[in-house]
Amino acid sequence: MQRISYDLHIHSCLSPCGSDESTPGNIVGMAVVAGLDAIAVTDHNSCLNLPAVMSLAEAYGITAVPGMELTTSEEVHVLCYFRSLDDAMDFSGYVAEHSMYIENRPEFFGEQLIMDADDNITGKEKRLLHTASQISFDDVFKLLKGFHGLMVPAHINKSTTSVLSNLGMLPDDSEFTAVEIQTPDKIQELRERFPYLQRCHILTSSDAHYLSDIQDPVHFLHVEENSPSGILDSLSSYL
């Protein structure tokens, strides 16, 4: 087993709430400077900047886990991680097909920039990515299995867009094996309130919308291999 530092919740300039300076190159560069071993760019409801991120991460010798922050039909945010870029891109297409088309208004929500590995703008996503998909929270776990993916409910103690804020509970038939918590000082309290969490791996990432938000190497995972599959393997079984 090896101990790796991570930040597995980072938004690029594709997310309407992400800074235009959060380009694939700047994100990977910042992660390298910070000394992180693994990152995940998890834009809202899309993976269109992942090809550039994955290419740059490989070039700079850092692990990038393909990811997305899905908004369910209940407006619960769920981090979705994948073993391969192909699986992530296939899921991105599935989400686009199962979301209502609402055109982005950049003057209100910001640009949604698609970039290549040289940080050139190759397009702008016209579909507003902040909206809820037609995918229910209850269906995410099994749906992701079909894409070789892992479900991680995002920032579960956040006052909005979390499973606890929007559903008010952890469903009794939950199957996920990991969750994200905003601050590690809340872990014990949440595990006492929700015994299901005693079985789950706990992640604490930055949810970075600006480059300066990307965290230093302060949170760690133990994995057999520092790769997308190795990281997903470590999070895929109960404690």
Side-chain angles (χ1 to χ4, degrees):
M1 298 289 283
Q2 55 181 302
R3 183 173 179 258
I4 63 167
S5 59
Y6 70 87
D7 190 344
L8 300 180
H9 190 168
I10 300 172
H11 292 275
S12 81
C13 51
L14 175 61
S15 290
C17 50
S19 166
D20 288 354
E21 295 181 353
S22 293
T23 65
N26 284 342
I27 289 171
V28 173
M30 183 66 76
V32 171
V33 169
L36 290 167
D37 297 313
I39 62 169
V41 170
T42 52
D43 285 310
H44 289 288
N45 295 324
S46 179
C47 296
L48 291 177
N49 270 347
L50 289 189
V53 170
M54 301 297 290
S55 175
L56 287 161
E58 182 178 6
Y60 281 92
I62 186 172
T63 295
V65 179
M68 174 197 288
E69 186 170 16
L70 172 70
T71 305
T72 72
S73 57
E74 303 90 350
E75 298 193 2
V76 174
H77 287 188
V78 177
L79 295 167
C80 306
Y81 299 120
F82 303 90
R83 295 175 183 273
S84 73
L85 177 59
D86 286 346
D87 286 331
M89 299 308 292
D90 287 346
F91 186 70
S92 187
Y94 180 92
V95 172
E97 292 172 0
H98 292 79
S99 298
M100 182 180 297
Y101 183 88
I102 299 175
E103 189 160 345
N104 182 37
R105 298 182 65 183
E107 65 273 23
F108 293 111
F109 303 110
E111 297 282 9
Q112 300 178 147
L113 303 177
I114 305 167
M115 292 195 159
D116 64 19
D118 293 319
D119 279 356
N120 297 311
I121 298 173
T122 60
K124 297 181 181 181
E125 175 57 70
K126 294 182 179 180
R127 175 175 61 92
L128 179 61
L129 297 176
H130 250 329
T131 58
S133 70
Q134 297 166 344
I135 302 168
S136 171
F137 181 86
D138 289 341
D139 296 333
V140 176
F141 183 86
K142 290 181 180 178
L143 176 63
L144 283 174
K145 287 291 187 182
F147 293 89
H148 310 107
L150 177 74
M151 172 188 185
V152 179
H155 42 60
I156 65 167
N157 56 324
K158 188 177 178 180
S159 59
T160 59
T161 66
S162 71
V163 61
L164 294 182
S165 66
N166 288 29
L167 301 185
M169 61 175 181
L170 294 179
D172 292 336
D173 57 351
S174 295
E175 297 180 272
F176 49 80
T177 57
V179 299
E180 181 192 54
I181 290 177
Q182 280 187 303
T183 52
D185 62 298
K186 299 295 184 182
I187 293 174
Q188 186 58 37
E189 174 188 337
L190 287 166
R191 279 181 164 160
E192 290 174 358
R193 287 178 57 199
F194 304 99
Y196 182 84
L197 295 179
Q198 296 174 18
R199 308 172 61 197
C200 291
H201 299 271
I202 305 294
L203 296 176
T204 303
S205 294
S206 66
D207 192 8
H209 290 77
Y210 298 89
L211 292 172
S212 58
D213 295 334
I214 295 174
Q215 67 189 17
D216 291 326
V218 292
H219 300 295
F220 300 90
L221 289 172
H222 288 89
V223 299
E224 291 282 355
E225 179 184 85
N226 184 14
S227 68
S229 288
I231 291 170
L232 264 63
D233 284 345
S234 73
L235 298 173
S236 293
S237 59
Y238 294 110
L239 293 174

